[in-house]
Structure formats: structure tokens, C-alpha cells
Amino acid sequence: MARAKRSGRRSGKPDTRSEILSAARTLFAAEGFESVSMRRIASEAGVDPSLIHHYFGSKDDLFMASIELPVDPGVEIEAALKGNDIEGAGARLMRAFAAIWDGPHHDKMIAAVRTMLSKPGMTLGMKHIFQHRIVTTIERTLGDQIDHVNLRANFVATQIFGLVVVRYVLELEPLTSMTVDELAETIGPTVDRYLTMPVEHLER
């Protein structure tokens, strides 16, 4: 007697990962990171939710994979700041961040950012990267050294975002032709000011 075909959600198979990524990209682009649940993505892909955790781990990791960002900026930022004094943090931060963009994954990084900036839904993805991979990493790494860390981290994020847009998307000179060390030496002191200047008058 022939066995009956199994019904229900699919188990893992060679193209399961790509199907999950496709569903995630569609939903993230249409509704943004915060509004889409792992269960919703699994339903769209027609797979069991456990397979998302199997292939990608967390929702953050799935998002990073879905936008094909080859480097996690949070990891690089934490490495630049962790275990060091606050003095000179701005230069270290800018050197690490610029090195990501000037590195071997330059083209993929630019393509991902252009995609996020050109699609309204994916703009929320850009917000997620800056909020959860940059701002939160700065807060977690420097929170025991500075006050008003969330406010300061947001100030730093404005500098990073401006650098990405002006140097790598708009490619404005002479900023585009500056070396990573020149960027760090020039922009670093501004970042240091954001991290150390008195901000009590801005407290809400």
C-alpha cells in the first residue's frame, strides 16, 4: 500500500532557507521590522517557525540576512569601544565604521543601503540597524562610563548616518577621497564631544 502524502507545513529542505529569506524581505519591505513577527514570516514561507530559528537564530539575524548586509556594524562598534577608556573613543569608532565601508564588502554594503533608502518599507529597516545595532551597542558598551547614554548615542548616530550618505551614497568630494585615518582624526573629536559634553539642559 502506498503511503499517504504528509500534509501541513514543510520541514527543512534545500530551498527552505531561501524561501524564508524571500518571505522576510517581502514582509520587512512592506511593513517594517517591528510589525512583522517570526511566526508571520514562517506562515508566509509555509514552514514551521522552528526552522527560522534553526537557519537564522534570532529575528535580528534574519533581518540582517534578508537585507544581505555582509557585516554586522554592531559587532564592529562593540569591538572598537569595549575594554577601552572613553578618551579617544570617537576616533576609534569612526575608524572602525569607515573600515567596514571601505573594506572588501563595500559594494554589497552600498547596495543594501541604497535599497533601504529607496523603498519606504525598508526605511524602517534602516531605522532598525541604527537603533538596535548602533545606538543600542553604544549604550551597552559605554553605559557605565557616561551619563545620558541614549541621548549621546543618538547624537553619534547622526554623525555615522551623515558619513554613510555623504561619503558612500552621494560620494561628495573631498570627503570621499579621504583616508580612514583622516576621517577618524577629523570626525573623531566631534564624536568625542557628543560623548562627553554637558547635556543636562537637554534632559526631558
Side-chain angles (χ1 to χ4, degrees):
M1 180 184 296
R3 292 183 180 179
K5 291 184 178 179
R6 296 177 62 185
S7 59
R9 288 175 173 167
R10 295 189 298 275
S11 58
K13 59 181 182 178
D15 58 347
T16 296
R17 188 178 189 279
S18 62
E19 290 171 344
I20 293 172
L21 279 175
S22 178
R25 288 190 187 103
T26 298
L27 290 173
F28 285 146
E31 302 177 28
F33 177 86
E34 300 293 346
S35 300
V36 179
S37 68
M38 297 277 266
R39 187 170 295 277
R40 175 91 180 282
I41 294 169
S43 177
E44 182 74 14
V47 302
D48 190 277
S50 65
L51 288 174
I52 298 183
H53 294 285
H54 171 73
Y55 284 106
F56 299 98
S58 69
K59 184 180 175 183
D60 272 356
D61 293 332
L62 173 58
F63 174 79
M64 296 297 288
S66 73
I67 61 174
E68 298 181 320
L69 204 59
V71 180
D72 184 344
V75 173
E76 301 299 325
I77 288 173
E78 182 172 5
L81 298 178
K82 191 173 183 178
N84 294 295
D85 294 333
I86 193 68
E87 183 178 355
R92 293 196 305 275
L93 181 61
M94 298 313 298
R95 185 175 285 106
F97 197 80
I100 295 173
W101 292 83
D102 286 7
H105 301 297
H106 171 83
D107 290 342
K108 289 184 178 180
M109 296 287 287
I110 296 301
V113 170
R114 289 185 187 278
T115 299
M116 285 186 284
L117 291 176
S118 64
K119 297 181 178 180
M122 291 302 285
T123 301
L124 295 176
M126 177 72 80
K127 176 182 177 181
H128 170 76
I129 290 176
F130 273 82
Q131 180 63 52
H132 295 281
R133 312 308 292 174
I134 295 177
V135 171
T136 300
T137 299
I138 294 172
E139 291 176 359
R140 184 178 65 252
T141 309
L142 297 180
D144 61 345
Q145 298 187 55
I146 57 179
D147 59 6
H148 302 85
V149 64
N150 178 263
L151 179 61
R152 295 179 187 279
N154 274 269
F155 284 156
V156 173
T158 66
Q159 200 69 40
I160 293 174
F161 184 79
L163 178 64
V164 169
V165 172
V166 174
R167 177 176 169 90
Y168 301 105
V169 178
L170 300 180
E171 297 183 344
L172 298 186
E173 293 290 359
L175 198 64
T176 299
S177 297
M178 293 177 69
T179 67
V180 170
D181 285 339
E182 288 171 337
L183 287 172
E185 293 170 5
T186 304
I187 302 176
T190 298
V191 175
D192 285 335
R193 189 176 75 84
Y194 287 151
L195 293 174
T196 60
M197 68 181 183
V199 294
E200 287 79 4
H201 64 289
L202 295 177
E203 186 175 11
R204 295 182 183 276

